[in-house]
Structures are given as structure tokens and as C-alpha cells.
Amino acid sequence: MSTKPPTSQTWIVIVNNQADWERITQEQWYRIPTSSVSKRLAQRWPPDWLGFYHTKVFRDMAYQIRYYSRVVGIEEVSRQDLFPYELPGAKSRKRYYKLSVEPLQTLPHPILSRRRRRLVFIPTTHSKLLSAIEINDLIDESPLEDRLWAELRRLEIAAERQEVVQTGSRSYFLDFAIYCAKGNLNVETDGDTWHNNSKQVESDKLRDNALAVKGWHTLRFTTEHVCEKMASYCLPTITDKINELGGLGTEGKLLLQVTHPPAEGQAEQLNLFNL
């Protein structure tokens, strides 16, 4: 078993049955299949803290995070090691990480999920865990995404971050999924290194085409767009596309763009209002 001082590395994990919750609260451990620590997640492994997301079986605690705990030890074990009284079977040799945790702590306020979305492990930071209001506030992929998310949230444009979309045998994580009355909008923020990689550009084209077949419209913004042209380009483009797709949500809330003269020669400001 490995032990080390805690840092800010935090994972949001799923609790979808009472037996697992009792193991967390009484025996103080949680399990993660080793196969679940994919290449994407391996960069954020191991976690020093866990936040527990409860699914619908928990009623009053459903679709939210109320509790978290510090990880004090990790060891790799088989399912048979975890459940010695379980009858041997095909899954007995399945490998898991067993994470030993301290007694639970309660968050200052529950972190809610606005949509009944498919939730997978979310790597985040300890500070985001303590300050988040909703699940999307926890996403910790890039400063560009955080910057655009702050603007979308300020303007009350509902979006889901790192939404998983299945197309055939492939699963895609969308930076921002915006559900509109007449279609769905995928907004991607591409950093300079990512954007200038010819292989990645080709991969993105294939990805965009696969999503288009599923009814998704994709907008892509570079570092320059997000950092220097947020008000003059990013937000108007997103707003125009939302309106083109019939407005936000099934009720079709249209967004009106109103530009004001720049103050003292500075960049223009953009205000958006629900009609």
C-alpha cells in the first residue's frame, strides 16, 4: 500500500448502490477497476482526495456530491481479495485499485447536477471541489475552457462540460455541449499546440463529421479567440449559432446581442439577454 502527504489532486467517483456506500462509510475504502484508469485519466493518477457522486438510488442525495474524503493509501488487488466470500467466477481475477480513505467530510453545500447526464470519473482539484456550485464547475481540463465557461455561466448559457457522446463504437468528450430547440451545439477550445498539430487537425475533422451524423454542430475557438476576441468573436458566434438552432433548450430561449461603444477606446463589450 502506498502512502504520501496529500496534494490537491481530486477525483469525483460514482456511488450507485447502498453496499458500496456502506463500505465507504464503515470500512473506509473505495474501489476503481484498473482498466478504468485510461490514458486520459492516467495523467491525473493517483488521487489524493475523493468526492462522492450519488446516483438515483439514493433519493434525497441523488445526482449530487455532499461528501468527500482524503485518500490515505492505495493498493492493487483482485476482486477475490476484495470480496473473499463471493463465489469464484469469471470476474474473480478482475484487478482493482483499493483506495483507503479517512472518515467522510461534508462539503459547505451540495454540488448539484443540472442534467441527468452520464457521469464518469472526473479529475479535478481540491479547491474546485470546495467551491463548486454544480458539476460543471468541477471540470479541470484547461485554462481556456475555464475562461469560456466563466463567460457562458455569467450569461446564463446552459452548457454541459465534458459531456460524453457515443457514435458507433467511439465515445467523444465534448468541451461544451449546448442543447438547443432544433439541434445540439458542441463548442471546442483548441490550444495553439493542439491546433497546429496536423494529425490532430485531421482527427478533429473525422470527429466533427461523426458528431454531425448524430446531429451535433461544432464550433472551434483558438487561444487567440478566447483570450483576445471573447466579446467580439467567440460570444457573438456562439449566440448566433444558438439562435440559428432555435434557442436554448426545448423552450427555445433566443439570445439577443447588444453591443455598446467601447469605454475609453477599449475593446467592445457584449451583453446578452434572454428574450
Side-chain angles (χ1 to χ4, degrees):
M1 179 182 292
S2 64
T3 58
K4 58 191 178 70
T7 63
S8 67
Q9 195 66 258
T10 303
W11 276 36
I12 306 305
V13 297
I14 300 170
V15 185
N16 56 19
N17 62 75
Q18 191 62 45
D20 279 346
W21 186 233
E22 290 176 359
R23 293 185 188 101
I24 295 166
T25 57
Q26 299 175 21
E27 300 177 27
Q28 296 181 207
W29 61 269
Y30 181 85
R31 71 184 189 278
I32 295 177
T34 58
S35 59
S36 295
V37 185
S38 62
K39 181 178 180 181
R40 172 177 169 271
L41 293 173
Q43 301 174 11
R44 307 290 294 268
W45 180 267
D48 296 284
W49 301 85
L50 297 181
F52 301 102
Y53 177 84
H54 288 81
T55 59
K56 63 181 180 181
V57 299
F58 289 90
R59 297 185 180 180
D60 291 344
M61 293 195 296
Y63 307 116
Q64 60 184 272
I65 304 165
R66 288 190 183 184
Y67 304 98
Y68 69 103
S69 181
R70 186 169 76 92
V71 177
V72 293
I74 302 175
E75 56 183 326
E76 185 176 335
V77 298
S78 68
R79 184 176 181 87
Q80 190 171 25
D81 294 327
L82 290 174
F83 307 111
Y85 301 108
E86 189 176 76
L87 291 176
K91 298 191 297 183
S92 297
R93 294 185 179 181
K94 186 174 181 178
R95 305 298 293 178
Y96 291 86
Y97 292 114
K98 180 181 179 182
L99 290 78
S100 299
V101 298
E102 291 183 340
L104 296 178
Q105 300 183 53
T106 304
L107 287 167
H109 46 74
I111 302 171
L112 307 178
S113 178
R114 294 181 309 180
R115 293 176 60 89
R116 301 301 178 252
R117 58 182 289 175
R118 175 189 173 190
L119 186 69
V120 294
F121 299 117
I122 299 177
T124 186
T125 64
H126 192 53
S127 60
K128 284 190 174 182
L129 175 67
L130 296 182
S131 62
I133 302 299
E134 56 138 312
I135 293 294
N136 289 294
D137 296 330
L138 294 167
I139 305 300
D140 188 54
E141 291 293 320
S142 76
L144 285 181
E145 285 188 29
D146 284 350
R147 191 162 183 166
L148 182 54
W149 169 241
E151 290 299 312
L152 295 178
R153 184 175 58 180
R154 180 176 65 84
L155 299 171
E156 298 182 355
I157 297 177
E160 293 294 333
R161 303 180 68 183
Q162 293 300 303
E163 183 84 300
V164 182
V165 175
Q166 190 78 28
T167 64
S169 61
R170 298 291 302 272
S171 294
Y172 295 110
F173 288 82
L174 311 188
D175 286 357
F176 299 93
I178 302 175
Y179 293 90
C180 303
K182 299 179 181 178
N184 301 325
L185 178 58
N186 167 36
V187 180
E188 299 287 327
T189 56
D190 301 328
D192 292 337
T193 303
W194 185 277
H195 186 71
N196 293 328
N197 184 320
S198 58
K199 290 184 178 179
Q200 189 58 55
V201 170
E202 183 61 29
S203 176
D204 286 343
K205 290 180 180 178
L206 295 175
R207 167 193 166 109
D208 293 349
N209 289 341
L211 289 171
V213 172
K214 289 288 187 178
W216 287 88
H217 303 256
T218 298
L219 296 175
R220 292 186 174 275
F221 300 108
T222 65
T223 301
E224 178 185 3
H225 295 151
V226 174
C227 295
E228 300 179 20
K229 301 178 180 179
M230 179 70 77
S232 63
Y233 177 63
C234 294
L235 296 178
T237 301
I238 292 170
T239 306
D240 285 345
K241 195 64 180 179
I242 290 172
N243 288 340
E244 179 185 319
L245 293 173
L248 291 172
T250 55
E251 66 276 19
K253 291 182 181 177
L254 296 180
L255 297 173
L256 173 66
Q257 298 177 22
V258 181
T259 56
H260 295 283
E264 299 181 0
Q266 299 301 313
E268 64 178 319
Q269 295 179 335
L270 179 76
N271 293 325
L272 304 178
F273 298 94
N274 286 336
L275 291 178

